[in-house]
Amino acid sequence: GLAWLIFGIPYTENILYKDDLEKMAAEYPDNFRLTYAISREQNTADGGKMYVQSRVSEYADELFELIQKPNTHVYMCGLKGMEPPISETFTAEAQKRGMNWDDLRKQMKKEERWHVEVY
């Protein structure tokens, strides 16, 4: 299968396990995908700061294709403040695709495929 980590962090120097993650991505490109969202160093196409939700929008077609598969799990871990903007992005991107994010998320949660650990 595929594990895709969208790693949000303010600065490159603060990336935990950077060498290990990049080594895994290089050694197992079909099974591990690593995408950074470095808010103080990267910009979105329109010049804004790059956050995890920015990457969700950028890769929404691929992510929603994966979410449709019964073996896809989504894990959101980190600061509590990141959950609302990521949820808003999933809502907007689902709507663009004729889907209802609340229903889809509830179904994934019922199937134990949606996992959130924020603090």
Side-chain angles (χ1 to χ4, degrees):
L2 171 68
W4 185 354
L5 174 60
I6 300 176
F7 196 132
I9 194 106
Y11 299 99
T12 301
E13 66 189 26
N14 300 119
I15 297 172
L16 300 173
Y17 312 109
K18 184 177 187 296
D19 292 340
D20 294 331
L21 292 170
E22 291 177 2
K23 181 179 177 187
M24 280 192 299
E27 289 181 9
Y28 306 101
D30 295 334
N31 302 102
F32 183 69
R33 187 167 172 183
L34 176 62
T35 303
Y36 292 120
I38 306 172
S39 62
R40 303 304 186 268
E41 297 175 12
Q42 296 175 326
N43 292 314
T44 60
D46 63 1
K49 289 184 179 181
M50 181 63 73
Y51 295 110
V52 171
Q53 60 267 26
S54 310
R55 294 297 190 192
V56 169
S57 286
E58 183 178 351
Y59 295 107
D61 288 338
E62 291 174 85
L63 292 171
F64 275 88
E65 184 177 325
L66 288 169
I67 286 170
Q68 301 300 312
K69 297 179 180 183
N71 64 341
T72 296
H73 288 252
V74 175
Y75 296 87
M76 183 187 323
C77 305
L79 298 175
K80 191 173 192 137
M82 67 184 265
E83 187 176 5
I86 292 172
S87 181
E88 290 166 10
T89 301
F90 271 112
T91 298
E93 292 297 337
Q95 193 172 34
K96 289 178 188 175
R97 290 158 180 78
M99 300 174 184
N100 181 299
W101 176 245
D102 284 336
D103 293 343
L104 185 54
R105 183 184 45 78
K106 286 176 188 171
Q107 184 63 34
M108 290 180 70
K109 197 170 187 178
K110 181 180 175 185
E111 296 168 352
E112 298 182 354
R113 300 186 309 118
W114 179 258
H115 314 274
V116 176
E117 184 66 38
V118 293
Y119 46 89

